[in-house]
């Protein structure tokens, strides 16, 4: 028994075992989500923070599952096809931010007993910073996370099942977001445990089959021979791969090296300078300030479980390039002709790379597992974003601004209603993204680079330095955003009306064109403004700089809850993780 759907006018057959795998996986997710979320509506803490009782393995798996979604399986593979292995940077650079989270931020996030990051920012700074960050969180969650994930998943399933855009995105939103509405963070987090397992297994299947196929093309066998072929073809020194690289090089600045993670300072995606600056300008915001990521940390049993969860997430991030980067390199080795099309057509077709590899390589019976992995990736991120966005709306907007005496039942009810509204809005925004016809991964990264730097700067300073005050933070984020707008306007000057750009000089220097370089400049500027203004104004009050909110350099109050013996030790496993990632970076930068 087979059901056949159409992909790019070619038959894409799903065996009954594929349908069985998809059905079992989805039913398992819903069963786990329903059971774990059944009694989580009694209090706001239960619904929004899983009663603060998540163990480390759930914290870690859900931390990564919330992060990995369609923009990785679709957008990141597509970007790897175009730019090369440098996209592994987005996984490996996270480890530095994870280290900051483990050693510097978790002790204070847990000790503060905050429901949300905006709430923590009010305790440390003031109400203005809290509300500003809450609004930015809502914007980024809707546009850069939820809508983008739904869009990426929709175009993937459109290609597989040949369905119209709007019905596909609506059905996906309903199925993917329902668990977050039902059981809050508990349902979202526990259902991520099987999701990350299936995601890794499914991704490995695609990669291993791709490498084996490459080996077969040259008369070899196995993944080792396939890996050698992949590397050789991506070095692009001969044949059609050289022609493809030369075609791409016309749109790249300076050196175009597909097999290095260290690239020129004006590289459009990952200039080498960002191995330092992206950690501070974007990664700290994404991993330590981003509500939909940090919410599972805030829901951990204690500081130890939060830290060990992030260590586990680090190991998962270290191996993720095997399933979200290598497939892009495999695709280039198989289909270099994609790069020879008009440049405007390359990115959309590259974003279909994952589906092409699945339909070309994966046999009947295993397709279902791989497609289940794609759905699980979408579902886990949608659940995480819906839950975190409703938490911010409830705690930082509804309760803080409109109903300060709201009961737990009223807050949970508002959270459920707001989750439904969030899903509806995200579906509409996904349609807007479809009209842009741009690279999904680049679209998302540009959002991060625009909104993150000012808040990353004040958060780091606020944890490290007691003299930093609310006025310094408020002015820094305000002026920081103004600088970000000016830089983005300068970059787009040629395409904007003259009255919007009359105050700007000529063309932007080429080294400043990459959006991450702009983010680095905004971060440094915000840092300086925050320090200067803080020292020009009165010191913060005593309750804003307690040991629960700021590091005490006399006590170094960050070394509690590190575990006992080596196999439980946060220190041991963090050192092992650091050694692994440094070795990987060096291997692909020499």
């Amino acid at each position: 028994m087979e059901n056949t759907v159409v992909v790019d006018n070619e038959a894409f057959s799903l065996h009954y075992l594929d349908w069985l795998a998809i059905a079992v996986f989805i039913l398992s997710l819903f069963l786990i989500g329903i059971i774990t979320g059944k009694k989580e509506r009694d209090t706001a803490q239960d619904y929004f923070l899983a009663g603060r009782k998540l163990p480390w393995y759930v914290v870690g798996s859900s931390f990564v599952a919330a992060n990995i979604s369609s923009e990785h399986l679709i957008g990141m593979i597509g970007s790897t096809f175009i730019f090369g292995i440098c996209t592994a940077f987005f996984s490996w650079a996270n480890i530095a931010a994870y280290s900051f989270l483990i050693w510097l931020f978790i002790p204070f996030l847990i000790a503060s007993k905050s429901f949300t990051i905006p709430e923590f920012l009010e305790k440390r700074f003031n109400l203005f910073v809290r509300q500003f960050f809450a609004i930015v969180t809502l914007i980024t969650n809707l546009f850069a996370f939820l809508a983008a994930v739904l869009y990426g998943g929709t175009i993937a399933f459109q290609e597989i099942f040949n369905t119209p855009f709007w019905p596909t995105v609506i059905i996906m939103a309903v199925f993917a977001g329902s668990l977050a509405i039902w059981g809050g963070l508990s349902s979202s987090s526990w259902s991520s445990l099987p999701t990350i397992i299936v995601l890794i297994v499914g991704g490995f299947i695609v990669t291993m089959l791709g490498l084996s196929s490459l080996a077969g093309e040259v008369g070899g066998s196995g993944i080792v021979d396939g890996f050698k072929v992949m590397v050789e073809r991506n070095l692009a020194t001969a044949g059609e791969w050289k022609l493809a690289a030369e075609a791409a090089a016309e749109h790249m600045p300076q050196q175009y090296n597909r097999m290095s993670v260290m690239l020129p300072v004006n590289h459009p995606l990952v200039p080498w300078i960002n191995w330092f600056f992206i950690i501070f300008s974007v990664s700290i915001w994404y991993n330590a300030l981003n509500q939909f990521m940090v919410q599972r940390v805030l829901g951990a049993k204690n500081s130890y479980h939060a830290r060990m969860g992030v260590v586990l997430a680090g190991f998962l991030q270290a191996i993720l390039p095997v399933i979200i980067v290598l497939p892009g390199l495999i695709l280039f080795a198989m289909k270099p002709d994609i790069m020879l099309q008009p440049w405007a057509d390359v990115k959309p077709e590259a974003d279909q790379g994952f589906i092409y590899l699945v339909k070309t390589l994966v046999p009947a019976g295993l397709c279902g597992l791989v497609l289940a992995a794609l759905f699980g990736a979408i579902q886990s991120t949608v659940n995480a974003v819906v839950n975190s966005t409703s938490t911010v709306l409830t705690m930082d907007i509804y309760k803080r601004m409109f109903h300060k005496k709201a009961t737990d039942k009223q807050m949970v009810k508002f959270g459920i209603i707001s989750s439904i509204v969030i899903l509806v809005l995200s579906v509409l925004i996904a349609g807007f993204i479809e009209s842009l016809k741009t690279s999904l991964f680049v679209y998302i990264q540009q959002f991060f680079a625009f909104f993150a730097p000012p808040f990353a700067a004040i958060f780091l300073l606020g944890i490290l330095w007691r003299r930093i005050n609310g006025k310094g933070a408020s002015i820094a984020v305000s002026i920081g955003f103004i600088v970000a707008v000016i830089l983005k306007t300068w970059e787009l000057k040629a395409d904007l009306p003259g009255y919007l750009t009359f105050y700007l000089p000529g063309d932007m220097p080429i080294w400043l064109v990459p959006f991450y370089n702009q983010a680095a400049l905004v971060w440094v500027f915000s840092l300086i403004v925050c320090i200067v203004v803080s020292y020009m104004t009165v010191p913060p009050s005593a309750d804003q700089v307690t040991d629960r909110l700021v590091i005490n350099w006399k006590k170094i109050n960050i070394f509690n809850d590190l575990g006992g013996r080596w196999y439980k030790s946060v220190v041991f496993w963090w050192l092992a993780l650091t050694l692994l990632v440094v070795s990987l970076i060096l291997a692909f930068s020499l």
Side-chain angles (χ1 to χ4, degrees), residues 393-410:
L393 272 171
T394 302
M395 307 306 297
D396 299 299
I397 305 297
Y398 170 70
K399 186 174 187 290
R400 183 65 180 81
M401 297 179 66
F402 299 106
H403 198 342
K404 293 184 178 181
K405 296 183 180 180
T407 64
D408 281 323
K409 288 187 176 180
Q410 288 173 323

Side-chain angles (χ1 to χ4, degrees), residues 104-112 120 463 547-548 550-551 557:
L104 194 58
F105 301 141
I106 281 177
F108 305 106
L109 292 175
I110 299 296
S112 70
F120 179 88
I463 293 289
D547 287 356
R548 289 177 173 266
V550 187
I551 190 170
N557 52 325

Side-chain angles (χ1 to χ4, degrees), residues 20 58 66 73 97 125 135 140 161 168 186 200 228 264 271 295 357 376 385 428 436 457 463 521 549 553:
L20 181 62
V58 174
L73 293 176
F125 298 119
I135 292 170
T140 54
F161 297 106
T168 306
S186 186
I200 291 175
K228 293 177 181 177
Q295 191 143 337
L357 293 174
V385 181
L428 298 176
L436 295 178
I463 293 289
L521 186 61
L549 301 173
W553 290 104

Side-chain angles (χ1 to χ4, degrees), residues 519-551:
L521 186 61
V522 172
W523 180 80
V524 171
F525 185 84
S526 301
L527 204 74
I528 294 171
V529 170
C530 188
I531 294 171
V532 171
V533 173
S534 293
Y535 269 88
M536 291 176 62
T537 52
V538 297
S541 60
D543 62 329
Q544 293 176 315
V545 290
T546 67
D547 287 356
R548 289 177 173 266
L549 301 173
V550 187
I551 190 170

Side-chain angles (χ1 to χ4, degrees), residues 8-244:
D8 294 335
N9 299 318
E10 297 182 24
F12 187 99
S13 297
L14 292 182
H15 193 270
Y16 76 91
L17 291 175
D18 296 321
W19 290 109
L20 181 62
I22 294 171
V24 168
F25 177 73
I26 292 176
L27 288 174
S28 298
L29 286 185
F30 275 85
L31 182 62
I32 292 170
I34 290 171
I35 292 173
T36 56
K38 187 176 181 181
K39 297 180 180 180
E40 299 298 326
R41 296 191 183 191
D42 294 337
T43 69
Q45 180 164 280
D46 287 338
Y47 187 75
F48 295 116
L49 291 182
R52 300 188 192 269
K53 56 181 182 290
L54 296 178
W56 65 270
Y57 51 88
V58 174
V59 172
S61 58
S62 64
F63 198 86
V64 174
N67 176 31
I68 303 301
S69 193
S70 59
E71 80 271 17
H72 290 82
L73 293 176
I74 304 301
M76 196 166 184
I77 290 175
S79 291
T80 302
F81 173 85
I82 295 170
F83 295 104
I85 200 171
C86 65
T87 54
F89 163 86
F90 294 99
S91 288
W92 295 338
N94 273 334
I95 307 305
Y98 284 14
S99 298
F100 277 104
L101 186 56
I102 292 166
W103 296 112
L104 194 58
F105 301 141
I106 281 177
F108 305 106
L109 292 175
I110 299 296
S112 70
K113 297 294 182 182
S114 299
F115 267 80
T116 66
I117 294 298
E119 181 184 352
F120 179 88
L121 293 177
E122 181 183 13
K123 291 177 179 179
R124 177 60 185 90
F125 298 119
N126 56 34
L127 178 59
F128 173 82
V129 175
R130 176 180 186 169
Q131 300 303 157
F132 196 166
F133 188 75
I135 292 170
V136 167
T137 297
L138 297 179
I139 293 172
T140 54
N141 278 10
L142 280 172
F143 283 87
F145 294 121
L146 192 52
V149 167
L150 288 176
Y151 166 71
T154 298
I155 62 173
F157 282 103
Q158 269 190 291
E159 289 296 313
I160 297 169
F161 297 106
N162 197 32
T163 53
F165 178 84
W166 287 108
T168 306
V169 72
I170 291 170
I171 292 172
M172 185 167 297
V174 171
F175 273 88
S178 55
L179 288 182
I181 296 172
W182 163 257
L185 182 63
S186 186
S187 290
S188 174
S189 298
W190 280 97
S191 63
S192 294
L193 197 54
T195 293
I196 199 66
I197 295 172
V198 172
L199 177 63
I200 291 175
V201 172
F204 265 96
I205 288 173
V206 174
T207 299
M208 297 305 106
L209 290 175
L211 293 175
S212 296
S213 177
L214 288 177
E217 290 181 13
V218 297
S221 62
I223 60 174
V224 175
D225 288 345
F227 188 84
K228 293 177 181 177
V229 173
M230 181 198 73
V231 172
E232 180 183 354
R233 291 180 177 180
N234 275 272
L235 288 172
T237 57
E240 55 189 320
W241 299 278
K242 182 179 180 181
L243 294 176

Side-chain angles (χ1 to χ4, degrees), residues 302-374:
N302 53 40
S303 184
Y304 171 77
H305 282 271
R307 281 170 152 165
M308 280 300 291
V310 177
V311 170
L312 171 62
F315 278 101
L316 294 173
Q317 280 284 4
I319 65 172
L320 276 176
V322 174
I323 66 175
I324 60 178
V325 173
L326 289 190
L329 301 178
I330 292 169
L331 181 66
F332 181 84
M334 287 181 169
K335 298 283 290 180
D337 54 291
I338 294 175
M339 202 79 85
L340 300 177
Q341 302 178 93
W343 190 246
D345 297 329
V346 172
K347 292 179 181 179
E349 187 158 346
D351 278 348
Q352 298 301 322
F354 176 75
I355 301 305
Y356 171 82
L357 293 174
V358 172
K359 76 172 185 179
T360 305
L361 302 172
V362 182
L366 288 178
C367 275
L369 181 64
V370 175
L371 296 179
L374 175 59

